[in-house]
Amino acid sequence: IAQEEPAGCAVACVASICGADYKKAKQLFGKHNAWGYICKDIVRALTKSGKKYSYKYCVGDKSFPIGSIVFIKRSKKYPAGHYLAKTSKGWMDPWINYPKMFPKAGYRKKLPGKAIYAVFPL
């Protein structure tokens, strides 16, 4: 699921985990946050969809269960950081062709940066 807004990676990851489209996932978040969402917003959206999730600071963690959404640290490539979702196919990246103007989604074998927060299924 490709993100449809510059700061929409969290919404696209929730859509992927829930098997929904971007628009339905965005409704789970309620009000729009122009600067992107934080982990507690993601947990709240997943809870509204009937899923049980929590989050933690995870620097140094290398292993994440399928269904996790990970925030990677800000870097030159990702100046605002970036969320990716762990699936059975690998890491679903909602803007794999960043910084091109029209985001495309795709799968990566490994995270393209250092994980610092994880939203994970309970």
Side-chain angles (χ1 to χ4, degrees), residues 26-109:
K26 188 171 177 183
Q27 291 171 351
L28 294 171
F29 284 87
K31 66 179 179 162
H32 177 65
N33 184 341
W35 299 104
Y37 295 98
I38 59 176
C39 292
K40 69 179 178 179
D41 299 323
I42 296 170
V43 169
R44 195 175 307 123
L46 289 164
T47 299
K48 284 183 183 177
S49 77
K51 301 189 178 300
K52 294 185 181 208
Y53 271 73
S54 188
Y55 69 94
K56 69 176 182 174
Y57 183 70
C58 66
V59 170
D61 288 2
K62 302 273 186 202
S63 179
F64 302 96
I66 290 174
S68 296
I69 297 173
V70 171
F71 182 77
I72 58 171
K73 185 179 180 176
R74 292 169 178 87
S75 64
K76 285 183 182 179
K77 179 162 176 139
Y78 297 102
H82 191 49
Y83 285 105
L84 297 96
K86 178 79 178 268
T87 74
S88 60
K89 295 180 183 180
W91 289 99
M92 193 287 295
D93 186 336
W95 196 345
I96 200 164
N97 62 331
Y98 180 82
K100 294 192 178 182
M101 282 301 280
F102 300 102
K104 291 185 180 181
Y107 293 95
R108 297 181 179 274
K109 289 184 179 179

